[in-house]
Amino acid sequence: MITQPHREQAHAMTKRIILVDDHAVVRAGLIEIFQRRPGFTVVGEAANASEAMRLVSQLSPDLVVVDVSLEVGMNGIELLKHLRTQHASLPILVLSMHEEDIYAERALNAGALLAVVGFGWVGGGGSRSQQV
């Protein structure tokens, strides 16, 4: 049996995530991945930037995962810039199906914590760090 203090401690250690991708199947796949990882819970998902901005304001997540190529309204980089102005310390991870590092550079320059591009990821140092 978990006592109340332990529940609060476990909740405090859980990272609350909002997913932003215009493809429902991608969001579903990411939810599945995060559900298998202890310490993460998806608290919201959005198909476009306006939904994402509303959810971030309402839910105060610990992390936002954003697709760089949103189809409706702002793209992922524009959303990232907007979120940076409203929530400066919020960690944002940017995903891109494109392999070109220019997408990662744009995301990192706009304030992303990490950019996952094509089959690798690029961290704050700007170089392709690992193949995934």
Side-chain angles (χ1 to χ4, degrees):
M1 184 168 134
I2 298 177
T3 64
Q4 187 63 29
H6 289 111
R7 282 190 190 133
E8 290 172 4
Q9 184 179 18
H11 178 70
M13 294 184 336
T14 300
K15 298 298 180 192
R16 304 175 64 221
I17 301 167
I18 291 178
L19 303 175
V20 186
D21 195 296
D22 53 331
H23 297 95
V25 69
V26 173
R27 293 192 312 270
L30 290 170
I31 289 170
E32 182 70 26
I33 290 168
F34 283 117
Q35 285 178 338
R36 294 178 183 204
R37 302 279 189 257
F40 296 98
T41 185
V42 176
V43 295
E45 56 181 289
N48 58 56
S50 62
E51 289 177 13
M53 291 183 290
R54 181 181 54 79
L55 286 176
V56 168
S57 293
Q58 288 178 345
L59 301 175
S60 300
D62 300 306
L63 173 68
V64 178
V65 179
V66 178
D67 176 24
V68 74
S69 301
L70 299 174
E71 294 295 322
V72 177
M74 290 184 216
N75 65 38
I77 301 297
E78 293 166 336
L79 172 60
L80 170 59
K81 290 176 182 177
H82 178 80
L83 289 174
R84 269 294 146 254
T85 64
Q86 302 297 314
H87 310 276
S89 63
L90 177 63
I92 302 171
L93 169 70
V94 174
L95 303 178
S96 175
M97 67 177 183
H98 307 287
E99 292 187 31
E100 297 84 4
D101 286 343
I102 189 70
Y103 292 97
E105 291 173 25
R106 289 178 183 160
L108 293 171
N109 288 337
L113 173 68
L114 183 73
V116 178
V117 292
F119 298 104
W121 57 272
V122 179
S127 62
R128 177 99 22 139
S129 300
Q130 177 181 341
Q131 295 299 313
V132 292

